[in-house]
Amino acid sequence: MMAITLDQLNAMSAADFTAALADIYEHSPWVAEAAAKQRPFATLSALHEAMVAAVRAAPAEARQKLITAHPDLAGKAARAGALTPDSTREQLSAGLDRLSEADYARFHQLNDAYKAKFGIPFIVCVRRHTRDSILAEFERRLAQGGTAETDTALGEIFRIGALRLDQRVSAPDALPISGRLSTHVLDTHSGRPAEGVAIELWELSHDGAERLIVTTATNRDGRTDAPLIGGRPIPKGVYELRFFIGAYFRHRGVALPDPPFLDVVPIRFGVAEPEGHYHVPISASPWAYGTYRGS
């Protein structure tokens, strides 16, 4: 769906406003309908807060229906292609369409255990997670009490709503929902930024599976033209940056042994703050390298 501006939303009829934002909260257009009464909104943040307030002010029965309107993760509806477009894109973002049969069985088992204990579907903002961190979150939340878990589920729904709203509505302000992963490379052999270093970013899983996220190269400043991940949360998980240092020095005409002492340099790191800024630089020569979490 194409983005719409905040000014356009403010100028719409209540019915058109509700229709434009009907699916921000899963199968619950009443949230947008309630927010329409609070117009005009000066900022996207104010619109988001109005929708959150509408949910909090609703009767307990309405909040319960909102929670139960959410689909199971990697459940039968997902495999049958019966999810809403937003839910489909969200589950795809975490690779839940590429699970092994063993992983599907694990998700099915956890979904059933969660519903048996709490009577609601397990809800998590999957754009903030990798497959491994979703499974870890399942285990953690299964140990919670009922009241605490209902509050947690609503909090996740508000996160989902914020991300959907950010994608749907263009406004002067931005919601605090995005993280940033960046890098740069310093050539300590020549004492300057390393231009033309090929870089790969991989997402790693506990079972040894790897998923290529981005392939890029450094510019004349030793940086990439765009963040490795930006404009969205960085999913919680373990990643590996691979710097093709050997090829870089060969291209520069530096005499290297065969094979080179350093060829592809891997930097493995974890992301625990999806909305955080992770800067993972590297300084390298043909014989040594170093890294740290920068800013």
Side-chain angles (χ1 to χ4, degrees), residues 62-175:
R63 290 197 299 274
Q64 186 73 6
K65 286 183 178 179
L66 169 60
I67 292 172
T68 57
H70 287 75
D72 289 337
L73 293 181
K76 293 179 180 178
R79 300 193 77 174
L83 303 183
T84 64
D86 282 317
S87 288
T88 297
R89 285 189 292 270
E90 288 156 4
Q91 296 207 23
L92 290 177
S93 74
L96 299 187
D97 61 320
R98 298 183 297 276
L99 299 178
S100 66
E101 288 303 319
D103 281 332
Y104 274 118
R106 180 63 176 147
F107 270 92
H108 184 71
Q109 177 190 22
L110 289 167
N111 280 323
D112 286 350
Y114 186 91
K115 282 185 174 179
K117 181 172 183 178
F118 299 114
I120 59 175
F122 175 76
I123 301 172
V124 68
C125 183
V126 295
R127 289 189 183 275
R128 302 178 74 247
H129 291 270
T130 59
R131 181 198 64 178
D132 284 3
S133 67
I134 291 173
L135 290 169
E137 190 75 354
F138 246 129
E139 301 283 3
R140 183 187 70 82
R141 285 169 55 183
L142 271 168
Q144 291 196 136
T147 300
E149 187 52 27
T150 299
D151 291 342
T152 300
L154 282 173
E156 293 297 314
I157 288 172
F158 296 146
R159 289 183 186 275
I160 294 167
L163 281 162
R164 291 180 179 181
L165 200 61
D166 180 73
Q167 292 180 320
R168 184 70 53 80
V169 182
S170 173
D173 65 319
L175 298 177

Side-chain angles (χ1 to χ4, degrees), residues 188-268:
T188 56
H189 180 265
S190 63
R192 61 185 180 185
E195 180 181 4
V197 178
I199 300 171
E200 294 176 350
L201 174 66
W202 292 80
E203 178 191 310
L204 309 182
S205 298
H206 71 278
D207 59 2
E210 300 180 342
R211 181 158 71 114
L212 180 62
I213 304 300
V214 66
T215 299
T216 186
T218 54
N219 56 28
R220 64 185 301 174
D221 294 321
R223 303 177 183 272
T224 56
D225 290 336
L228 300 168
I229 295 178
R232 62 181 177 89
I234 310 170
K236 290 183 183 181
V238 178
Y239 296 86
E240 190 169 278
L241 275 168
R242 296 173 186 170
F243 299 88
F244 290 76
I245 294 299
Y248 162 77
F249 283 115
R250 280 194 297 270
H251 180 72
R252 288 191 52 80
V254 176
L256 300 176
D258 186 17
F261 179 67
L262 294 179
D263 192 5
V264 180
V265 173
I267 304 295
R268 186 170 298 188

